[in-house]
CSV table of all heavy atoms in Angstrom, one decimal:
chain,number,residue,atom,x,y,z
X,1040,MET,N,0.8,-1.2,0.0
X,1040,MET,CA,0.0,0.0,0.0
X,1040,MET,C,0.9,1.3,0.0
X,1040,MET,O,0.4,2.3,-0.5
X,1040,MET,CB,-0.9,0.0,1.2
X,1040,MET,CG,-2.1,0.9,1.0
X,1040,MET,SD,-3.5,0.7,2.2
X,1040,MET,CE,-3.9,-1.0,2.2
X,1041,GLU,N,2.1,1.1,0.5
X,1041,GLU,CA,3.0,2.3,0.5
X,1041,GLU,C,3.3,2.8,-1.0
X,1041,GLU,O,3.4,4.0,-1.2
X,1041,GLU,CB,4.3,2.0,1.2
X,1041,GLU,CG,4.1,1.9,2.7
X,1041,GLU,CD,3.6,3.1,3.3
X,1041,GLU,OE1,4.1,4.2,3.0
X,1041,GLU,OE2,2.7,3.0,4.2
X,1042,ASN,N,3.4,1.8,-1.9
X,1042,ASN,CA,3.6,2.2,-3.3
X,1042,ASN,C,2.5,3.0,-3.8
X,1042,ASN,O,2.7,4.0,-4.6
X,1042,ASN,CB,3.8,0.9,-4.1
X,1042,ASN,CG,5.2,0.6,-4.6
X,1042,ASN,OD1,6.1,1.4,-4.3
X,1042,ASN,ND2,5.4,-0.5,-5.3
X,1043,LEU,N,1.3,2.6,-3.5
X,1043,LEU,CA,0.1,3.4,-3.9
X,1043,LEU,C,0.1,4.8,-3.4
X,1043,LEU,O,-0.1,5.7,-4.1
X,1043,LEU,CB,-1.2,2.6,-3.5
X,1043,LEU,CG,-2.5,3.3,-3.9
X,1043,LEU,CD1,-2.6,3.4,-5.4
X,1043,LEU,CD2,-3.7,2.5,-3.4
X,1044,LYS,N,0.5,4.9,-2.1
X,1044,LYS,CA,0.5,6.3,-1.5
X,1044,LYS,C,1.5,7.1,-2.2
X,1044,LYS,O,1.3,8.3,-2.5
X,1044,LYS,CB,0.9,6.1,0.0
X,1044,LYS,CG,-0.2,5.6,0.9
X,1044,LYS,CD,0.3,5.4,2.3
X,1044,LYS,CE,-0.7,4.8,3.2
X,1044,LYS,NZ,-0.3,4.6,4.6
X,1045,LYS,N,2.7,6.5,-2.5
X,1045,LYS,CA,3.7,7.3,-3.2
X,1045,LYS,C,3.3,7.7,-4.6
X,1045,LYS,O,3.5,8.8,-5.0
X,1045,LYS,CB,5.0,6.4,-3.3
X,1045,LYS,CG,6.2,7.1,-4.0
X,1045,LYS,CD,7.4,6.1,-4.0
X,1045,LYS,CE,8.5,6.8,-4.8
X,1045,LYS,NZ,9.6,5.9,-5.0
X,1046,THR,N,2.6,6.8,-5.3
X,1046,THR,CA,2.1,7.1,-6.7
X,1046,THR,C,1.1,8.2,-6.6
X,1046,THR,O,1.1,9.1,-7.5
X,1046,THR,CB,1.6,5.8,-7.3
X,1046,THR,OG1,2.6,4.8,-7.3
X,1046,THR,CG2,1.2,6.1,-8.8
X,1047,VAL,N,0.2,8.1,-5.7
X,1047,VAL,CA,-0.8,9.2,-5.5
X,1047,VAL,C,-0.2,10.5,-5.3
X,1047,VAL,O,-0.6,11.6,-5.9
X,1047,VAL,CB,-1.9,8.8,-4.4
X,1047,VAL,CG1,-2.7,10.0,-4.1
X,1047,VAL,CG2,-2.7,7.6,-4.9
X,1048,GLN,N,0.8,10.6,-4.5
X,1048,GLN,CA,1.5,11.9,-4.2
X,1048,GLN,C,2.2,12.4,-5.5
X,1048,GLN,O,2.2,13.6,-5.8
X,1048,GLN,CB,2.6,11.7,-3.1
X,1048,GLN,CG,3.2,13.0,-2.7
X,1048,GLN,CD,2.2,14.1,-2.2
X,1048,GLN,OE1,1.4,13.8,-1.4
X,1048,GLN,NE2,2.2,15.2,-2.9
X,1049,GLU,N,2.8,11.5,-6.3
X,1049,GLU,CA,3.4,11.9,-7.5
X,1049,GLU,C,2.3,12.5,-8.5
X,1049,GLU,O,2.6,13.4,-9.2
X,1049,GLU,CB,4.1,10.7,-8.2
X,1049,GLU,CG,5.3,10.2,-7.5
X,1049,GLU,CD,5.9,8.9,-8.0
X,1049,GLU,OE1,5.4,8.4,-9.1
X,1049,GLU,OE2,6.8,8.4,-7.4
X,1050,ILE,N,1.1,11.9,-8.5
X,1050,ILE,CA,0.1,12.4,-9.3
X,1050,ILE,C,-0.3,13.8,-8.9
X,1050,ILE,O,-0.4,14.7,-9.7
X,1050,ILE,CB,-1.2,11.5,-9.3
X,1050,ILE,CG1,-0.9,10.1,-9.9
X,1050,ILE,CG2,-2.4,12.1,-9.9
X,1050,ILE,CD1,-1.9,9.1,-9.5
X,1051,ILE,N,-0.4,14.0,-7.6
X,1051,ILE,CA,-0.8,15.3,-7.1
X,1051,ILE,C,0.3,16.3,-7.5
X,1051,ILE,O,0.0,17.5,-7.9
X,1051,ILE,CB,-1.0,15.3,-5.6
X,1051,ILE,CG1,-2.3,14.5,-5.3
X,1051,ILE,CG2,-1.1,16.7,-5.0
X,1051,ILE,CD1,-2.4,14.1,-3.8
X,1052,ASP,N,1.6,15.9,-7.3
X,1052,ASP,CA,2.7,16.8,-7.7
X,1052,ASP,C,2.7,17.2,-9.2
X,1052,ASP,O,2.9,18.3,-9.6
X,1052,ASP,CB,4.0,16.2,-7.3
X,1052,ASP,CG,4.2,16.1,-5.8
X,1052,ASP,OD1,3.5,16.7,-5.0
X,1052,ASP,OD2,5.1,15.3,-5.4
X,1053,LEU,N,2.4,16.2,-10.0
X,1053,LEU,CA,2.3,16.4,-11.5
X,1053,LEU,C,1.1,17.3,-11.8
X,1053,LEU,O,1.3,18.2,-12.7
X,1053,LEU,CB,2.2,15.1,-12.2
X,1053,LEU,CG,3.4,14.2,-12.2
X,1053,LEU,CD1,3.1,12.8,-12.7
X,1053,LEU,CD2,4.5,14.9,-13.1
X,1054,ILE,N,0.0,17.2,-11.2
X,1054,ILE,CA,-1.1,18.1,-11.4
X,1054,ILE,C,-0.7,19.5,-11.1
X,1054,ILE,O,-1.0,20.5,-11.8
X,1054,ILE,CB,-2.4,17.6,-10.7
X,1054,ILE,CG1,-2.9,16.3,-11.2
X,1054,ILE,CG2,-3.5,18.7,-10.7
X,1054,ILE,CD1,-4.0,15.7,-10.4
X,1055,ALA,N,-0.1,19.7,-9.9
X,1055,ALA,CA,0.4,21.0,-9.5
X,1055,ALA,C,1.3,21.6,-10.5
X,1055,ALA,O,1.3,22.8,-10.6
X,1055,ALA,CB,1.0,20.9,-8.1
X,1056,ALA,N,2.1,20.8,-11.1
X,1056,ALA,CA,3.1,21.3,-12.1
X,1056,ALA,C,2.5,21.4,-13.5
X,1056,ALA,O,3.2,21.7,-14.5
X,1056,ALA,CB,4.3,20.3,-12.1
X,1057,LYS,N,1.2,21.2,-13.6
X,1057,LYS,CA,0.4,21.3,-14.9
X,1057,LYS,C,0.9,20.3,-15.9
X,1057,LYS,O,0.9,20.6,-17.1
X,1057,LYS,CB,0.5,22.7,-15.4
X,1057,LYS,CG,0.0,23.8,-14.5
X,1057,LYS,CD,-1.4,24.1,-14.7
X,1057,LYS,CE,-1.8,25.3,-13.9
X,1057,LYS,NZ,-2.9,25.1,-13.0
X,1058,GLN,N,1.4,19.1,-15.4
X,1058,GLN,CA,1.8,18.1,-16.3
X,1058,GLN,C,0.8,17.0,-16.4
X,1058,GLN,O,0.9,15.9,-15.9
X,1058,GLN,CB,3.2,17.5,-15.9
X,1058,GLN,CG,4.3,18.5,-15.9
X,1058,GLN,CD,5.6,18.0,-15.3
X,1058,GLN,OE1,5.7,16.8,-15.1
X,1058,GLN,NE2,6.6,18.9,-15.1
X,1059,ASN,N,-0.4,17.3,-17.0
X,1059,ASN,CA,-1.5,16.5,-16.9
X,1059,ASN,C,-1.4,15.2,-17.7
X,1059,ASN,O,-1.9,14.1,-17.3
X,1059,ASN,CB,-2.8,17.2,-17.4
X,1059,ASN,CG,-3.2,18.3,-16.5
X,1059,ASN,OD1,-2.7,18.3,-15.3
X,1059,ASN,ND2,-4.2,19.1,-16.9
X,1060,LYS,N,-0.6,15.2,-18.8
X,1060,LYS,CA,-0.4,13.9,-19.5
X,1060,LYS,C,0.3,12.9,-18.6
X,1060,LYS,O,0.0,11.7,-18.5
X,1060,LYS,CB,0.3,14.2,-20.8
X,1060,LYS,CG,0.5,12.9,-21.7
X,1060,LYS,CD,1.1,13.2,-23.0
X,1060,LYS,CE,1.2,12.0,-23.8
X,1060,LYS,NZ,1.9,12.2,-25.1
X,1061,ASP,N,1.4,13.4,-18.0
X,1061,ASP,CA,2.2,12.5,-17.1
X,1061,ASP,C,1.3,12.1,-15.9
X,1061,ASP,O,1.4,10.9,-15.4
X,1061,ASP,CB,3.5,13.2,-16.6
X,1061,ASP,CG,4.5,13.4,-17.8
X,1061,ASP,OD1,4.4,12.6,-18.7
X,1061,ASP,OD2,5.3,14.4,-17.7
X,1062,ALA,N,0.5,13.0,-15.4
X,1062,ALA,CA,-0.3,12.7,-14.3
X,1062,ALA,C,-1.3,11.6,-14.6
X,1062,ALA,O,-1.6,10.7,-13.9
X,1062,ALA,CB,-1.1,14.0,-13.8
X,1063,ASN,N,-1.9,11.7,-15.9
X,1063,ASN,CA,-2.8,10.7,-16.3
X,1063,ASN,C,-2.2,9.4,-16.5
X,1063,ASN,O,-2.8,8.3,-16.1
X,1063,ASN,CB,-3.4,11.2,-17.7
X,1063,ASN,CG,-4.8,10.5,-17.9
X,1063,ASN,OD1,-5.5,10.3,-17.0
X,1063,ASN,ND2,-5.0,10.2,-19.2
X,1064,ASN,N,-0.9,9.3,-16.9
X,1064,ASN,CA,-0.2,8.0,-17.0
X,1064,ASN,C,0.0,7.4,-15.6
X,1064,ASN,O,-0.1,6.2,-15.4
X,1064,ASN,CB,1.1,8.2,-17.7
X,1064,ASN,CG,1.0,8.6,-19.2
X,1064,ASN,OD1,-0.1,8.3,-19.8
X,1064,ASN,ND2,2.0,9.2,-19.8
X,1065,LYS,N,0.4,8.3,-14.7
X,1065,LYS,CA,0.6,7.8,-13.3
X,1065,LYS,C,-0.7,7.3,-12.7
X,1065,LYS,O,-0.8,6.4,-11.9
X,1065,LYS,CB,1.2,8.9,-12.4
X,1065,LYS,CG,2.6,9.1,-12.6
X,1065,LYS,CD,3.4,8.0,-11.8
X,1065,LYS,CE,4.9,8.2,-11.9
X,1065,LYS,NZ,5.6,7.0,-11.4
X,1066,LEU,N,-1.8,8.0,-13.1
X,1066,LEU,CA,-3.1,7.7,-12.6
X,1066,LEU,C,-3.5,6.2,-13.1
X,1066,LEU,O,-4.1,5.5,-12.3
X,1066,LEU,CB,-4.2,8.7,-13.0
X,1066,LEU,CG,-5.6,8.5,-12.5
X,1066,LEU,CD1,-5.6,8.6,-11.0
X,1066,LEU,CD2,-6.5,9.5,-13.1
X,1067,THR,N,-3.2,5.9,-14.3
X,1067,THR,CA,-3.4,4.6,-14.8
X,1067,THR,C,-2.6,3.6,-14.0
X,1067,THR,O,-3.2,2.5,-13.6
X,1067,THR,CB,-3.0,4.5,-16.3
X,1067,THR,OG1,-3.8,5.5,-17.0
X,1067,THR,CG2,-3.3,3.1,-16.9
X,1068,GLU,N,-1.4,3.9,-13.7
X,1068,GLU,CA,-0.5,3.0,-12.9
X,1068,GLU,C,-1.1,2.8,-11.5
X,1068,GLU,O,-1.2,1.7,-11.0
X,1068,GLU,CB,0.9,3.6,-12.8
X,1068,GLU,CG,1.9,2.9,-12.1
X,1068,GLU,CD,3.2,3.6,-12.0
X,1068,GLU,OE1,3.6,4.2,-13.0
X,1068,GLU,OE2,3.8,3.6,-10.9
X,1069,ALA,N,-1.6,3.9,-10.9
X,1069,ALA,CA,-2.2,3.8,-9.6
X,1069,ALA,C,-3.4,3.0,-9.6
X,1069,ALA,O,-3.7,2.2,-8.6
X,1069,ALA,CB,-2.4,5.2,-9.0
X,1070,SER,N,-4.2,3.1,-10.6
X,1070,SER,CA,-5.5,2.3,-10.7
X,1070,SER,C,-5.2,0.9,-10.8
X,1070,SER,O,-5.9,0.0,-10.2
X,1070,SER,CB,-6.3,2.8,-11.9
X,1070,SER,OG,-6.7,4.1,-11.8
X,1071,GLU,N,-4.1,0.5,-11.5
X,1071,GLU,CA,-3.7,-0.9,-11.6
X,1071,GLU,C,-3.2,-1.4,-10.3
X,1071,GLU,O,-3.6,-2.5,-9.9
X,1071,GLU,CB,-2.7,-1.1,-12.7
X,1071,GLU,CG,-3.2,-0.8,-14.1
X,1071,GLU,CD,-2.1,-0.8,-15.2
X,1071,GLU,OE1,-0.9,-0.9,-14.8
X,1071,GLU,OE2,-2.4,-0.6,-16.3
X,1072,GLN,N,-2.5,-0.6,-9.6
X,1072,GLN,CA,-2.0,-1.0,-8.2
X,1072,GLN,C,-3.2,-1.2,-7.3
X,1072,GLN,O,-3.2,-2.2,-6.5
X,1072,GLN,CB,-1.1,0.1,-7.7
X,1072,GLN,CG,0.3,0.2,-8.3
X,1072,GLN,CD,1.1,1.4,-7.7
X,1072,GLN,OE1,0.7,2.0,-6.7
X,1072,GLN,NE2,2.2,1.7,-8.3
X,1073,LEU,N,-4.1,-0.3,-7.4
X,1073,LEU,CA,-5.3,-0.4,-6.5
X,1073,LEU,C,-6.1,-1.6,-6.8
X,1073,LEU,O,-6.6,-2.3,-5.9
X,1073,LEU,CB,-6.2,0.9,-6.7
X,1073,LEU,CG,-7.5,0.9,-5.9
X,1073,LEU,CD1,-7.2,1.0,-4.4
X,1073,LEU,CD2,-8.3,2.2,-6.3
X,1074,ASP,N,-6.3,-2.0,-8.1
X,1074,ASP,CA,-7.0,-3.2,-8.4
X,1074,ASP,C,-6.3,-4.4,-7.9
X,1074,ASP,O,-7.0,-5.3,-7.3
X,1074,ASP,CB,-7.1,-3.3,-10.0
X,1074,ASP,CG,-8.1,-2.3,-10.6
X,1074,ASP,OD1,-8.9,-1.7,-9.8
X,1074,ASP,OD2,-8.0,-2.1,-11.8
X,1075,GLU,N,-5.0,-4.4,-8.0
X,1075,GLU,CA,-4.3,-5.6,-7.4
X,1075,GLU,C,-4.5,-5.7,-5.9
X,1075,GLU,O,-4.7,-6.8,-5.3
X,1075,GLU,CB,-2.8,-5.5,-7.7
X,1075,GLU,CG,-2.5,-5.7,-9.2
X,1075,GLU,CD,-1.0,-5.5,-9.5
X,1075,GLU,OE1,-0.1,-5.5,-8.6
X,1075,GLU,OE2,-0.7,-5.2,-10.7
X,1076,LEU,N,-4.4,-4.5,-5.2
X,1076,LEU,CA,-4.5,-4.5,-3.8
X,1076,LEU,C,-5.9,-4.9,-3.4
X,1076,LEU,O,-6.1,-5.6,-2.4
X,1076,LEU,CB,-4.2,-3.1,-3.2
X,1076,LEU,CG,-2.7,-2.8,-3.3
X,1076,LEU,CD1,-2.5,-1.3,-2.9
X,1076,LEU,CD2,-1.9,-3.6,-2.3
X,1077,LEU,N,-6.9,-4.5,-4.1
X,1077,LEU,CA,-8.3,-4.9,-3.8
X,1077,LEU,C,-8.5,-6.4,-4.0
X,1077,LEU,O,-9.2,-7.0,-3.2
X,1077,LEU,CB,-9.3,-4.1,-4.7
X,1077,LEU,CG,-9.5,-2.6,-4.4
X,1077,LEU,CD1,-10.3,-1.9,-5.5
X,1077,LEU,CD2,-10.3,-2.5,-3.1
X,1078,ASP,N,-7.9,-6.9,-5.0
X,1078,ASP,CA,-8.0,-8.4,-5.2
X,1078,ASP,C,-7.4,-9.2,-4.0
X,1078,ASP,O,-7.8,-10.3,-3.7
X,1078,ASP,CB,-7.3,-8.8,-6.5
X,1078,ASP,CG,-8.1,-8.4,-7.7
X,1078,ASP,OD1,-9.3,-8.0,-7.6
X,1078,ASP,OD2,-7.5,-8.4,-8.8
X,1079,LEU,N,-6.3,-8.6,-3.4
X,1079,LEU,CA,-5.6,-9.3,-2.3
X,1079,LEU,C,-6.1,-9.0,-0.9
X,1079,LEU,O,-5.8,-9.7,0.0
X,1079,LEU,CB,-4.1,-9.0,-2.4
X,1079,LEU,CG,-3.4,-9.4,-3.7
X,1079,LEU,CD1,-2.0,-8.8,-3.7
X,1079,LEU,CD2,-3.4,-10.9,-3.9
X,1080,ALA,N,-6.9,-7.9,-0.8
X,1080,ALA,CA,-7.3,-7.5,0.5
X,1080,ALA,C,-8.3,-8.5,1.1
X,1080,ALA,O,-9.2,-9.0,0.5
X,1080,ALA,CB,-8.0,-6.1,0.4
X,1081,GLU,N,-8.0,-8.7,2.4
X,1081,GLU,CA,-8.9,-9.7,3.1
X,1081,GLU,C,-9.6,-9.0,4.4
X,1081,GLU,O,-10.7,-9.4,4.7
X,1081,GLU,CB,-8.1,-10.9,3.6
X,1081,GLU,CG,-7.6,-11.7,2.4
X,1081,GLU,CD,-6.7,-12.9,2.9
X,1081,GLU,OE1,-6.6,-13.1,4.1
X,1081,GLU,OE2,-6.3,-13.6,2.0
X,1082,GLU,N,-8.9,-8.0,4.9
X,1082,GLU,CA,-9.4,-7.4,6.1
X,1082,GLU,C,-10.3,-6.2,5.8
X,1082,GLU,O,-10.1,-5.5,4.8
X,1082,GLU,CB,-8.3,-6.9,7.0
X,1082,GLU,CG,-7.3,-7.9,7.5
X,1082,GLU,CD,-7.9,-8.9,8.5
X,1082,GLU,OE1,-8.8,-8.4,9.3
X,1082,GLU,OE2,-7.6,-10.1,8.4
X,1083,ASP,N,-11.4,-6.0,6.6
X,1083,ASP,CA,-12.3,-4.9,6.3
X,1083,ASP,C,-11.6,-3.6,6.4
X,1083,ASP,O,-11.9,-2.7,5.6
X,1083,ASP,CB,-13.4,-4.9,7.3
X,1083,ASP,CG,-14.4,-6.1,7.1
X,1083,ASP,OD1,-14.4,-6.6,5.9
X,1083,ASP,OD2,-15.2,-6.4,8.0
X,1084,GLU,N,-10.6,-3.4,7.3
X,1084,GLU,CA,-9.9,-2.2,7.4
X,1084,GLU,C,-9.1,-1.9,6.2
X,1084,GLU,O,-9.1,-0.7,5.7
X,1084,GLU,CB,-8.9,-2.3,8.6
X,1084,GLU,CG,-9.5,-2.2,10.0
X,1084,GLU,CD,-8.5,-2.4,11.1
X,1084,GLU,OE1,-7.3,-2.1,10.8
X,1084,GLU,OE2,-8.9,-2.8,12.2
X,1085,ASP,N,-8.5,-2.9,5.6
X,1085,ASP,CA,-7.8,-2.7,4.3
X,1085,ASP,C,-8.8,-2.3,3.2
X,1085,ASP,O,-8.5,-1.4,2.4
X,1085,ASP,CB,-7.1,-4.0,3.9
X,1085,ASP,CG,-5.9,-4.3,4.8
X,1085,ASP,OD1,-5.4,-3.4,5.5
X,1085,ASP,OD2,-5.5,-5.5,4.9
X,1086,LEU,N,-9.9,-2.9,3.1
X,1086,LEU,CA,-10.9,-2.6,2.1
X,1086,LEU,C,-11.4,-1.2,2.3
X,1086,LEU,O,-11.6,-0.4,1.3
X,1086,LEU,CB,-12.1,-3.6,2.1
X,1086,LEU,CG,-11.7,-5.0,1.6
X,1086,LEU,CD1,-12.9,-5.9,1.9
X,1086,LEU,CD2,-11.4,-5.0,0.2
X,1087,LEU,N,-11.6,-0.7,3.5
X,1087,LEU,CA,-12.0,0.6,3.8
X,1087,LEU,C,-11.0,1.7,3.3
X,1087,LEU,O,-11.3,2.6,2.7
X,1087,LEU,CB,-12.3,0.8,5.3
X,1087,LEU,CG,-12.9,2.1,5.7
X,1087,LEU,CD1,-14.2,2.4,5.0
X,1087,LEU,CD2,-13.1,2.1,7.2
X,1088,GLU,N,-9.7,1.4,3.7
X,1088,GLU,CA,-8.7,2.3,3.3
X,1088,GLU,C,-8.5,2.4,1.7
X,1088,GLU,O,-8.4,3.4,1.1
X,1088,GLU,CB,-7.4,2.0,3.9
X,1088,GLU,CG,-6.3,3.0,3.6
X,1088,GLU,CD,-5.0,2.8,4.4
X,1088,GLU,OE1,-5.0,1.9,5.3
X,1088,GLU,OE2,-4.1,3.6,4.1
X,1089,LEU,N,-8.6,1.2,1.1
X,1089,LEU,CA,-8.5,1.1,-0.3
X,1089,LEU,C,-9.7,1.8,-1.0
X,1089,LEU,O,-9.5,2.5,-2.1
X,1089,LEU,CB,-8.4,-0.3,-0.8
X,1089,LEU,CG,-7.1,-1.0,-0.4
X,1089,LEU,CD1,-7.2,-2.5,-0.8
X,1089,LEU,CD2,-5.9,-0.4,-1.1
X,1090,SER,N,-10.9,1.8,-0.4
X,1090,SER,CA,-12.0,2.5,-1.0
X,1090,SER,C,-11.8,4.0,-1.0
X,1090,SER,O,-12.3,4.7,-1.9
X,1090,SER,CB,-13.3,2.1,-0.3
X,1090,SER,OG,-13.4,2.6,1.0
X,1091,ARG,N,-11.1,4.5,0.1
X,1091,ARG,CA,-10.8,5.9,0.1
X,1091,ARG,C,-9.9,6.3,-1.0
X,1091,ARG,O,-10.0,7.3,-1.6
X,1091,ARG,CB,-10.2,6.2,1.5
X,1091,ARG,CG,-11.1,6.1,2.6
X,1091,ARG,CD,-10.4,6.5,3.9
X,1091,ARG,NE,-11.4,6.3,5.0
X,1091,ARG,CZ,-11.0,5.7,6.2
X,1091,ARG,NH1,-9.8,5.2,6.3
X,1091,ARG,NH2,-11.9,5.5,7.1
X,1092,TYR,N,-8.9,5.4,-1.3
X,1092,TYR,CA,-8.0,5.7,-2.4
X,1092,TYR,C,-8.8,5.6,-3.7
X,1092,TYR,O,-8.5,6.4,-4.7
X,1092,TYR,CB,-6.8,4.7,-2.4
X,1092,TYR,CG,-5.7,5.1,-1.5
X,1092,TYR,CD1,-5.6,4.5,-0.3
X,1092,TYR,CD2,-4.8,6.1,-1.9
X,1092,TYR,CE1,-4.6,4.9,0.6
X,1092,TYR,CE2,-3.8,6.5,-1.1
X,1092,TYR,CZ,-3.7,5.9,0.2
X,1092,TYR,OH,-2.7,6.3,1.0
X,1093,GLN,N,-9.7,4.8,-3.8
X,1093,GLN,CA,-10.6,4.7,-5.0
X,1093,GLN,C,-11.3,6.0,-5.3
X,1093,GLN,O,-11.3,6.5,-6.4
X,1093,GLN,CB,-11.6,3.5,-4.9
X,1093,GLN,CG,-12.1,3.0,-6.2
X,1093,GLN,CD,-12.7,1.6,-5.9
X,1093,GLN,OE1,-13.3,1.4,-4.9
X,1093,GLN,NE2,-12.7,0.8,-7.0
X,1094,VAL,N,-11.9,6.6,-4.2
X,1094,VAL,CA,-12.5,7.8,-4.3
X,1094,VAL,C,-11.6,8.9,-4.7
X,1094,VAL,O,-11.8,9.8,-5.6
X,1094,VAL,CB,-13.3,8.2,-3.0
X,1094,VAL,CG1,-13.8,9.6,-3.0
X,1094,VAL,CG2,-14.4,7.2,-2.8
X,1095,LEU,N,-10.4,8.9,-4.1
X,1095,LEU,CA,-9.4,9.9,-4.4
X,1095,LEU,C,-8.9,9.9,-5.8
X,1095,LEU,O,-8.8,10.9,-6.5
X,1095,LEU,CB,-8.2,9.8,-3.4
X,1095,LEU,CG,-7.0,10.7,-3.6
X,1095,LEU,CD1,-7.4,12.2,-3.5
X,1095,LEU,CD2,-5.9,10.4,-2.6
X,1096,LEU,N,-8.7,8.6,-6.3
X,1096,LEU,CA,-8.3,8.5,-7.7
X,1096,LEU,C,-9.3,9.0,-8.7
X,1096,LEU,O,-9.0,9.6,-9.7
X,1096,LEU,CB,-7.9,7.0,-8.0
X,1096,LEU,CG,-6.6,6.5,-7.3
X,1096,LEU,CD1,-6.4,5.0,-7.7
X,1096,LEU,CD2,-5.4,7.3,-7.7
X,1097,ASN,N,-10.6,8.7,-8.3
X,1097,ASN,CA,-11.7,9.2,-9.2
X,1097,ASN,C,-11.7,10.8,-9.2
X,1097,ASN,O,-11.9,11.4,-10.2
X,1097,ASN,CB,-13.0,8.7,-8.7
X,1097,ASN,CG,-13.2,7.2,-9.0
X,1097,ASN,OD1,-12.6,6.7,-9.9
X,1097,ASN,ND2,-14.1,6.6,-8.3
X,1098,GLN,N,-11.5,11.4,-8.0
X,1098,GLN,CA,-11.4,12.8,-8.0
X,1098,GLN,C,-10.2,13.4,-8.7
X,1098,GLN,O,-10.4,14.4,-9.4
X,1098,GLN,CB,-11.4,13.3,-6.5
X,1098,GLN,CG,-12.7,13.0,-5.8
X,1098,GLN,CD,-12.6,13.4,-4.3
X,1098,GLN,OE1,-11.5,13.4,-3.7
X,1098,GLN,NE2,-13.7,13.6,-3.7
X,1099,LEU,N,-9.1,12.7,-8.7
X,1099,LEU,CA,-7.9,13.2,-9.4
X,1099,LEU,C,-8.2,13.0,-10.9
X,1099,LEU,O,-7.8,13.9,-11.7
X,1099,LEU,CB,-6.7,12.4,-9.0
X,1099,LEU,CG,-6.2,12.7,-7.6
X,1099,LEU,CD1,-5.1,11.7,-7.2
X,1099,LEU,CD2,-5.7,14.1,-7.4
X,1100,PHE,N,-8.8,12.0,-11.3
X,1100,PHE,CA,-9.2,11.7,-12.7
X,1100,PHE,C,-10.0,12.9,-13.2
X,1100,PHE,O,-9.8,13.5,-14.3
X,1100,PHE,CB,-9.9,10.4,-12.9
X,1100,PHE,CG,-10.4,10.2,-14.3
X,1100,PHE,CD1,-9.5,9.7,-15.2
X,1100,PHE,CD2,-11.7,10.5,-14.7
X,1100,PHE,CE1,-9.9,9.5,-16.6
X,1100,PHE,CE2,-12.1,10.3,-16.0
X,1100,PHE,CZ,-11.2,9.8,-16.9
X,1101,GLU,N,-11.0,13.3,-12.4
X,1101,GLU,CA,-11.9,14.4,-12.8
X,1101,GLU,C,-11.1,15.7,-12.9
X,1101,GLU,O,-11.3,16.5,-13.8
X,1101,GLU,CB,-13.0,14.6,-11.8
X,1101,GLU,CG,-14.0,13.5,-11.7
X,1101,GLU,CD,-14.8,13.3,-13.0
X,1101,GLU,OE1,-15.2,14.4,-13.6
X,1101,GLU,OE2,-15.1,12.2,-13.4
X,1102,LYS,N,-10.2,15.9,-12.0
X,1102,LYS,CA,-9.4,17.1,-12.0
X,1102,LYS,C,-8.5,17.2,-13.2
X,1102,LYS,O,-8.4,18.2,-13.9
X,1102,LYS,CB,-8.5,17.2,-10.7
X,1102,LYS,CG,-7.5,18.3,-10.6
X,1102,LYS,CD,-8.2,19.6,-10.3
X,1102,LYS,CE,-7.1,20.6,-10.1
X,1102,LYS,NZ,-7.6,21.9,-10.1
X,1103,ILE,N,-7.9,16.1,-13.6
X,1103,ILE,CA,-6.9,16.0,-14.7
X,1103,ILE,C,-7.7,16.2,-16.0
X,1103,ILE,O,-7.3,17.0,-16.9
X,1103,ILE,CB,-6.2,14.7,-14.8
X,1103,ILE,CG1,-5.2,14.5,-13.6
X,1103,ILE,CG2,-5.5,14.5,-16.1
X,1103,ILE,CD1,-4.7,13.1,-13.4
X,1104,ASN,N,-8.8,15.6,-16.1
X,1104,ASN,CA,-9.6,15.7,-17.4
X,1104,ASN,C,-10.5,16.9,-17.6
X,1104,ASN,O,-11.0,17.1,-18.6
X,1104,ASN,CB,-10.3,14.4,-17.6
X,1104,ASN,CG,-9.4,13.2,-17.8
X,1104,ASN,OD1,-8.7,13.2,-18.8
X,1104,ASN,ND2,-9.4,12.3,-16.9
X,1105,LYS,N,-10.6,17.7,-16.5
X,1105,LYS,CA,-11.4,18.9,-16.5
X,1105,LYS,C,-10.5,20.0,-17.1
X,1105,LYS,O,-11.1,20.9,-17.8
X,1105,LYS,CB,-11.8,19.2,-15.1
X,1105,LYS,CG,-12.7,20.4,-14.9
X,1105,LYS,CD,-13.2,20.5,-13.5
X,1105,LYS,CE,-12.9,21.9,-13.0
X,1105,LYS,NZ,-13.4,22.1,-11.6
X,1106,GLU,N,-9.2,20.0,-16.9
X,1106,GLU,CA,-8.4,21.1,-17.3
X,1106,GLU,C,-7.9,21.0,-18.8
X,1106,GLU,O,-7.9,20.1,-19.4
X,1106,GLU,CB,-7.1,21.1,-16.4
X,1106,GLU,CG,-7.5,21.5,-15.0
X,1106,GLU,CD,-6.3,21.5,-14.1
X,1106,GLU,OE1,-5.2,21.2,-14.5
X,1106,GLU,OE2,-6.5,21.9,-12.9
């Protein structure tokens, strides 16, 4: 999950730097990481935290594609 956190921060940094194409590529990478983690998650706490990342990734997607 640490990898996902790092990737999300990189996306936010790229958006701030107005590098939306790179941010979108990283977003795809993060979505794949999230899918893998969701497939492996067994604990409710993990699923809850991953669902928060899912919402965050959706919001970042909207932000990237709005500009």
Side-chain angles (χ1 to χ4, degrees):
M1040 201 170 306
E1041 288 301 316
N1042 252 359
L1043 181 60
K1044 290 178 184 180
K1045 181 180 175 186
T1046 304
V1047 168
Q1048 185 59 54
E1049 289 173 8
I1050 294 167
I1051 292 168
D1052 293 342
L1053 287 167
I1054 292 171
K1057 304 264 189 240
Q1058 297 176 9
N1059 288 351
K1060 185 176 180 181
D1061 292 334
N1063 202 35
N1064 292 338
K1065 279 285 182 188
L1066 184 60
T1067 300
E1068 180 183 320
S1070 294
E1071 291 170 1
Q1072 289 176 9
L1073 180 62
D1074 288 344
E1075 289 175 22
L1076 290 169
L1077 284 169
D1078 288 343
L1079 299 173
E1081 295 178 1
E1082 300 293 325
D1083 287 344
E1084 288 178 21
D1085 292 338
L1086 289 170
L1087 184 59
E1088 186 170 354
L1089 290 172
S1090 70
R1091 291 181 184 133
Y1092 276 100
Q1093 204 165 29
V1094 170
L1095 177 57
L1096 291 179
N1097 287 338
Q1098 290 173 339
L1099 291 172
F1100 176 83
E1101 293 295 323
K1102 174 76 174 163
I1103 291 168
N1104 291 298
K1105 184 172 130 181
E1106 294 180 355

